[in-house]
Amino acid sequence: MSAAGVQPRDWTCPFCSLLCDGLALAPGPVLQLRGGDCARARAGLAAFDHPAAAVSCVDGVPRGLDAALDAAAARLGVAHLPLFGGLATDVQGMRALYRLANVRGAILDHAHGEAMMPALRMLQDRGQMFTTLAEIRNRADLIVCIGTDARSSHPEFFRRCAPAAGREAGGRVVFLGAGGGTPGAAEIPWASTVDALCAEGDIFDTVATLAALVDSRRLAAVPAALAELADAMRAARYCVLVWEPARLAQHGALVGEALLRLLMNLNRKTRAGAFTLGGNDGAQTANAAMSWLSGLPLRSRVGQQGVDHDPLQYATARLLDERAVDLLLWVASFTPDLPPPPAALPRIVLGHPALAAGCAQPGTVFIPVATPGINADGHLLRADSVVSLPLHGVRDDGLATVAEVAQALVARLASGAAAKEGAR
Amino acid sequence: MTTIRLKGGRVYDPANGVDGEVRDIGIRDGRIVALHAQDKVDAEYDLTGCVVMAGGIDLHTHIGGGKVNLARMMLPEDHRLNRPRDSLLELASNGCCTPGTLETGYRYAQMGYTAAFEPAMLASNARQAHMEMGDTPILDHGAYVMLGNEELFLEMLARGEDPQRIRDYVGWAIGASKAMGVKVVNPGGISAFKFNQRKLDVDEDHVHWQVTPRQVVHSLARALSELGVPHPLHIHASNLGVAGNIESTLATIDALEGLPGHLTHIQFHSYGREGPKKFSSAARQLVERVNAAPNVSIDVGQIIFGQTVTASGDTMRQFANAELGNPRKYVGGDIECDAGCGVVPFRYREQSYVNALQWAIGLEIFLLMDDPWRVVLTTDHPNGGPFTSYPHLIKLLMDKRFRDEQLARLHPDVAAMADLREIRRELSLYEIAIMTRAAPARLLGLTDRGQLGIGAAADIAVYREEADREAMFATPEYVFKDGLLVARKGRIEAVPVGGTHFVEADYDPAIEKTVEAWADRHASISYRHMKIGTDELCSCSNGGALLACKVHGRGRPL
């Protein structure tokens, strides 16, 4: 619960996986962003305006933190197979949640688990070729955004791609099959040109065609715009493909695999890499921490029997639909935009204080938690899964961190104190 | 205050010249002390029939950081088997080639190892590396920061920056990433690959910066020497895995010009171009040169047959080998104008001529080296094979008959022709103790580890003497970490958080202006976040002890 005021230009924004830093935040009851104007950051910060005293709640009744922890431990103590969902937390939170999951066994999945799976399946089936933001700034002469405008989920993406000082000219940006409303030249001022190309059929067909053209395969009918793009990709010194698995329909992993094949081909003669947009709300962090601790990524079950990974079976929606789990522990420490899914089973919510109102019903224990980067320090991993950054708390709202709550639950379960309420 | 007596074990402590003497060892509060026969103790262990060594130290093992984690994620098939837990202290964690960090700590400790060093920490990924190592229980750990491919360094070298400024930059980089040393991987080659260069020999220019690997190696080695960093420059030389690469390996040794250098996974760099397959052992050439160069130490990177995964910063070479992937998967990344990463799953096969020869070359190097203090036992985990194969490797080195049996199973040309057949040497327990604890400790500057003298840390492995060295080294009778019993006959007894070894070097802080100016122009994060502070290290490394090694330069006023 460290929340010393940060120095100017030291704030790291936790509200998307680009983790913009070098920003400043004016502390106080209303947190104002300085040095940037990101809609997502502003919305995230607005949820912390004028904090009221946040209280825990058991079955809709306000309770002290200790009582709420007792109740939560009791319910965990009698659960046969809990699901730890949401997982919008930082590294320390995941470390402690992993220990808690081991106490009685649990399945772990992130709120964005469904969106993460195409990239994970691609990695598991074929691999990946990636690049990172500094490489893009310093090298990219062609950026192709496939099926995404990039900025809806990551408003600062194109600012972060701006060419490094001293580079002669900015590269070209192409949107392919990204729908309407993609940014124009005025919105990417550093780009030499900005083009928006329509998809040729659906996104699967479009990527397949593009890959074939990059590979110089003969096609019956060659769409001129795609042929030109393929030539440009082959001619580029460093081409970056941007994709966003969350935007893809079912079987999006196939798009990822096609893009990987395309990249492997491109890299035989020139250089290129992919940038995957995703991992917001701590998803990248939760998946990485889970992987290093257990050896396997999210959508795994842990316990005395070891680790069992099943990206299809261990999906939050499916587990809840099939009533395959008997308790949901939901973690959402960054924004109020990740409420726990409604479920007819006991719920324990470690959440942003603004989630309290929606968690005041029987069967639910709500414990408000601190937000890394607002009222707690912490660490998150960036979208590229390479860079991790420290988050600095700017305010002390007297809230426990997810790690502290999870540790308290481990201690209660270990001491058996939970058994008392569990008997009722 | 806990006092323990280890009674009557046969002690191998090469750092103190003890070669198999039966003697008692006293432990008080985590340190080795002299105990008199009448001193009261809290616990006494009868070690009759046991061999006592300091805890093992692995100075080159990929245990933490982005590429290892990508390897974990990409290989769920490596993690399907769950080893039964026999201790409630163990949390769920699994995997063989790239185990989870928890499993890594448990398995190393069960094997009698008490420290492990991650050799390829990217500055841009240093926090994560420290986090993963912090989540590797029991073991002390540390990492070498990868330099020599980051654009700032190459730019400084290209513009002929004063060596003192390079030294200050290296000192800054070590401090910023909280590293224990510096590793260079394919010197300049990772960067060159980003500029679409596919090959870089020791005296070939980087296509953009017009500097050579020779310059990179020499300037880094000089900087470390002047800073007084104990561990010599850790060198993954040019042309890894390429037939005939012995030439670039010898040229890399030349580039040191007598400065200290540690050539890592040297097996992968000791290939000739002889014979019908144009691929041959250059172990004798290599060893002859290393034997004559007291400034050079090596670790072997022995290959072990079976499934593993290669995870390397050497994108240039990994991409070239992507098609050899088994299973056929590839991860490659260009990272932050800093470094790169390439991951290729690999299966070493006994019936492959190349793999069989690689296996023989590694063993030849171990067995031909005169001076065991300059050769460290590694498999370059997981690149040559998982660290759990160390007991098997020890048996290969100690047992000529066993070695011959293994050799006979290999590709017939190798079985019939390898130099290895003629090498009769069997390493002694004393030599094994050097290669697995005393030498790595000395090469890392760990004065109170890797030895059992009075005042040393009580990191101790006790093995039940057995003729089958593999069985003996696989499951020590007792393992102590800082005097705490952490494993007994393979069962985990305690799970302390390990400490982080890192170097604090003196350098002229004026260099920070140069780094900050570069960061403002080129980086993707704020300059302030390029540095990990001590408090932050503590949080990243999970609250383990911070084992700072302060160095104050060598031969220069400050």
Side-chain angles (χ1 to χ4, degrees):
Chain A
M1 236 184 303
S2 149
V6 296
Q7 298 300 309
R9 296 186 59 214
D10 254 2
W11 188 65
T12 307
C13 176
F15 298 118
C16 95
S17 58
L18 294 182
L19 302 181
C20 298
D21 68 347
L23 299 167
L25 212 53
V30 174
L31 297 168
Q32 283 179 331
L33 183 65
R34 290 179 187 163
D37 184 32
C38 169
R40 199 177 171 109
R42 272 188 280 117
L45 289 169
F48 295 90
D49 283 355
H50 306 292
V55 287
S56 304
C57 204
V58 177
D59 302 328
V61 181
R63 303 290 295 272
L65 176 60
D66 278 338
L69 286 168
D70 287 343
R75 292 170 198 196
L76 267 174
V78 294
H80 292 100
L81 182 55
L83 166 63
F84 287 13
L87 301 185
T89 181
D90 69 339
V91 171
Q92 294 290 6
M94 273 308 290
R95 282 170 160 171
L97 287 168
Y98 190 74
R99 194 162 283 275
L100 180 62
N102 268 269
V103 175
R104 291 193 46 91
I107 295 169
L108 296 97
D109 183 24
H110 191 276
H112 301 319
E114 203 61 34
M116 293 163 73
M117 281 309 119
L120 182 63
R121 293 300 295 274
M122 176 187 87
L123 175 63
Q124 294 180 336
D125 290 344
R126 305 275 175 193
Q128 59 166 298
M129 275 201 88
F130 67 92
T131 189
T132 68
L133 287 174
E135 297 292 350
I136 297 176
R137 284 193 67 194
N138 287 275
R139 247 175 267 287
D141 52 355
L142 174 60
I143 297 177
V144 185
C145 299
I146 295 173
T148 177
D149 70 346
R151 67 174 177 177
S152 295
S153 58
H154 297 80
E156 293 288 280
F157 178 69
F158 291 106
R159 184 181 69 77
R160 302 293 302 277
C161 293
R167 281 188 68 196
E168 294 153 13
R172 175 184 175 196
V173 177
V174 179
F175 295 93
L176 174 60
T182 54
E187 291 152 291
I188 311 177
W190 51 262
S192 58
T193 51
V194 177
D195 301 311
L197 308 183
C198 295
E200 297 290 333
D202 66 18
I203 193 75
F204 297 89
D205 293 339
T206 307
V207 170
T209 307
L210 183 63
L213 289 168
V214 165
D215 198 18
S216 302
R217 269 180 276 156
R218 288 191 190 163
L219 297 180
V222 180
L226 273 191
E228 187 277 332
L229 178 59
D231 287 344
M233 290 165 73
R234 281 198 305 244
R237 288 191 307 275
Y238 200 90
C239 172
V240 175
L241 299 184
V242 180
W243 69 304
E244 188 174 355
R247 295 203 167 216
L248 298 171
Q250 220 184 352
H251 307 301
L254 297 176
V255 171
E257 288 188 19
L259 291 177
L260 178 63
R261 277 197 296 276
L262 187 161
L263 281 167
M264 292 298 279
N265 273 332
L266 212 48
N267 274 291
R268 287 181 218 289
K269 294 277 168 57
T270 183
R271 291 308 326 280
F275 192 89
T276 307
L277 286 165
N280 284 351
D281 294 301
Q284 198 75 350
T285 304
N287 197 46
M290 175 73 187
S291 299
W292 79 58
L293 288 162
S294 75
L296 283 162
L298 287 174
R299 296 200 164 172
S300 293
R301 177 180 179 170
V302 302
Q304 272 306 302
Q305 301 308 310
V307 193
D308 177 31
H309 174 60
D310 192 332
L312 298 177
Q313 190 73 28
Y314 295 150
T316 297
R318 182 169 179 170
L319 291 167
L320 294 176
D321 283 352
E322 295 178 353
R323 296 173 178 256
V325 290
D326 61 353
L327 181 142
L328 172 65
L329 183 144
W330 185 260
V331 182
S333 69
F334 294 109
T335 75
D337 301 332
L338 284 182
L345 44 68
R347 299 187 306 178
I348 298 164
V349 180
L350 315 185
H352 186 291
L355 286 171
C359 297
Q361 58 266 72
T364 299
V365 176
F366 177 76
I367 298 175
V369 290
T371 301
I374 301 294
N375 39 34
D377 293 345
H379 280 101
L380 282 176
L381 270 70
R382 207 168 68 179
D384 50 40
S385 202
V386 172
V387 175
S388 47
L389 284 165
L391 302 165
H392 312 287
V394 291
R395 196 165 84 185
D396 185 356
D397 293 332
L399 293 167
T401 62
V402 169
E404 287 164 342
V405 171
Q407 284 155 5
L409 291 173
V410 169
R412 276 170 170 73
L413 287 168
S415 70
K420 289 181 220 154
E421 203 209 35
R424 77 199 172 116
Chain B
M1 198 167 75
T2 306
T3 306
I4 299 169
R5 192 193 319 271
L6 306 182
K7 196 170 166 53
R10 205 146 59 79
V11 176
Y12 292 87
D13 181 18
N16 295 298
V18 180
D19 184 6
E21 274 177 43
V22 173
R23 54 162 73 177
D24 296 353
I25 289 179
I27 303 172
R28 182 173 291 137
D29 295 337
R31 293 271 153 185
I32 293 176
V33 294
L35 285 182
H36 296 293
Q38 64 272 30
D39 283 347
K40 276 193 152 179
V41 296
D42 302 291
E44 182 170 291
Y45 295 84
D46 178 4
L47 303 190
T48 310
C50 292
V51 162
V52 185
M53 295 183 182
I57 297 172
D58 196 340
L59 67 47
H60 188 109
T61 172
H62 297 276
I63 55 169
K67 62 180 163 293
V68 184
N69 218 30
L70 282 167
R72 293 184 185 109
M73 291 183 205
M74 94 189 278
L75 289 170
E77 56 269 47
D78 179 48
H79 299 256
R80 292 217 174 91
L81 283 180
N82 280 292
R83 188 174 54 90
R85 318 264 122 190
D86 51 10
S87 166
L88 290 175
L89 293 170
E90 292 184 42
L91 302 182
S93 186
N94 61 20
C96 180
C97 314
T98 50
T101 55
L102 296 164
E103 178 79 346
T104 301
Y106 305 145
R107 298 302 297 269
Y108 260 118
Q110 284 171 334
M111 229 168 53
Y113 273 69
T114 51
F117 290 81
E118 162 60 49
M121 175 171 74
L122 278 56
S124 50
N125 186 242
R127 287 187 175 85
Q128 186 182 340
H130 284 298
M131 288 172 194
E132 294 191 27
M133 291 189 290
D135 284 331
T136 305
I138 306 172
L139 303 180
D140 291 336
H141 43 79
Y144 321 136
V145 62
M146 267 170 66
L147 300 181
N149 279 289
E150 72 283 30
E151 307 295 324
L152 170 56
F153 170 83
L154 293 169
E155 189 183 318
M156 288 172 79
L157 205 57
R159 65 171 178 247
E161 196 82 67
D162 186 333
Q164 294 198 345
R165 300 261 300 157
I166 302 258
R167 172 204 67 201
D168 292 333
Y169 165 72
V170 171
W172 175 87
I174 291 171
S177 61
K178 294 286 177 282
M180 186 59 180
V182 172
K183 182 191 192 194
V184 60
V185 174
N186 187 352
I190 302 171
S191 164
F193 181 57
K194 295 174 184 174
F195 292 91
N196 204 23
Q197 196 168 0
R198 304 296 167 132
K199 180 177 84 58
L200 187 59
D201 282 324
V202 177
D203 290 306
E204 191 173 354
D205 272 338
H206 180 296
V207 67
H208 179 77
W209 293 112
Q210 304 291 309
V211 297
T212 63
R214 183 182 295 272
Q215 288 171 277
V216 172
V217 166
H218 184 79
S219 55
L220 287 173
R222 177 171 171 179
L224 289 174
S225 174
E226 291 182 2
L227 288 165
V229 172
H231 188 47
L233 177 63
H234 201 90
I235 305 166
H236 159 146
S238 312
N239 293 319
L240 180 141
V242 177
N245 64 10
I246 185 66
E247 288 168 26
S248 41
T249 304
L250 299 182
T252 302
I253 293 175
D254 288 345
L256 289 168
E257 294 178 23
L259 291 164
H262 178 88
L263 276 81
T264 190
H265 41 67
I266 193 74
Q267 176 277 128
F268 289 109
H269 303 270
S270 302
Y271 305 148
R273 219 182 265 118
E274 314 289 312
K277 295 192 166 63
K278 306 287 180 214
F279 183 78
S280 56
S281 169
R284 283 193 188 274
Q285 260 176 290
L286 184 273
V287 169
E288 190 180 325
R289 184 57 158 279
V290 175
N291 277 342
N295 59 312
V296 173
S297 56
I298 58 174
D299 66 80
V300 171
Q302 176 67 32
I303 71 146
I304 301 292
F305 297 110
Q307 180 68 52
T308 194
V309 57
T310 64
S312 170
D314 193 344
T315 41
M316 181 186 267
R317 295 302 316 147
Q318 291 291 80
F319 184 77
N321 288 330
E323 292 187 358
L324 301 177
N326 183 357
R328 182 74 177 270
K329 310 183 194 186
Y330 176 73
V331 168
D334 300 319
I335 295 174
E336 292 295 273
C337 298
D338 176 24
C341 111
V343 185
V344 185
F346 205 83
R347 176 175 279 277
Y348 293 104
R349 294 180 303 112
E350 293 177 339
Q351 289 309 310
S352 150
Y353 174 82
V354 170
N355 298 163
L357 197 58
Q358 289 177 304
W359 180 87
I361 291 169
L363 295 176
E364 286 166 14
I365 293 170
F366 273 118
L367 297 165
L368 292 172
M369 278 288 291
D370 288 346
D371 180 3
W373 288 94
R374 291 194 286 127
V375 53
V376 175
L377 186 141
T378 65
T379 56
D380 186 17
H381 165 82
N383 295 335
F387 67 82
T388 43
S389 46
Y390 286 175
H392 174 79
L393 175 53
I394 289 171
K395 183 171 179 179
L396 286 170
L397 296 172
M398 295 189 72
D399 186 337
K400 162 78 172 155
R401 202 172 128 188
F402 179 66
R403 196 159 68 221
D404 286 344
E405 283 167 16
Q406 302 304 306
L407 184 59
R409 293 163 47 170
L410 307 190
H411 187 284
D413 292 353
V414 174
M417 302 295 293
D419 248 9
L420 184 63
R421 290 174 313 143
E422 313 302 328
I423 303 176
R424 310 214 60 78
R425 185 173 173 194
E426 293 181 327
L427 297 187
S428 66
L429 284 170
Y430 190 73
E431 287 167 320
I432 292 295
I434 294 173
M435 291 179 179
T436 55
R437 23 290 261 172
R442 183 181 284 184
L443 288 168
L444 287 161
L446 304 175
T447 50
D448 65 345
R449 312 270 164 178
Q451 55 125 332
L452 298 171
I454 302 301
D459 294 350
I460 301 172
V462 178
Y463 304 94
R464 175 78 50 198
E465 175 93 58
E466 277 187 65
D468 179 348
R469 301 305 192 187
E470 184 169 349
M472 171 176 163
F473 280 96
T475 314
E477 196 78 4
Y478 305 104
V479 182
F480 297 88
K481 176 79 190 68
D482 293 310
L484 179 68
L485 181 66
V486 291
R488 182 198 299 249
K489 289 188 177 140
R491 183 188 153 94
I492 296 296
E493 296 283 338
V495 191
V497 178
T500 305
H501 289 287
F502 61 101
V503 165
E504 288 182 338
D506 283 336
Y507 59 87
D508 181 349
I511 195 68
E512 296 188 18
K513 285 202 174 61
T514 304
V515 183
E516 184 168 6
W518 182 89
D520 285 347
R521 289 200 314 274
H522 298 283
S524 73
I525 61 171
S526 143
Y527 167 71
R528 286 175 182 77
H529 288 152
M530 292 171 75
K531 293 191 285 189
I532 302 173
T534 308
D535 286 350
E536 198 191 347
L537 177 64
C538 189
S539 157
C540 288
S541 61
N542 215 2
L546 301 184
L547 306 167
C549 166
K550 290 184 195 297
V551 296
H552 300 287
R554 192 173 285 162
R556 70 187 177 92
L558 272 165

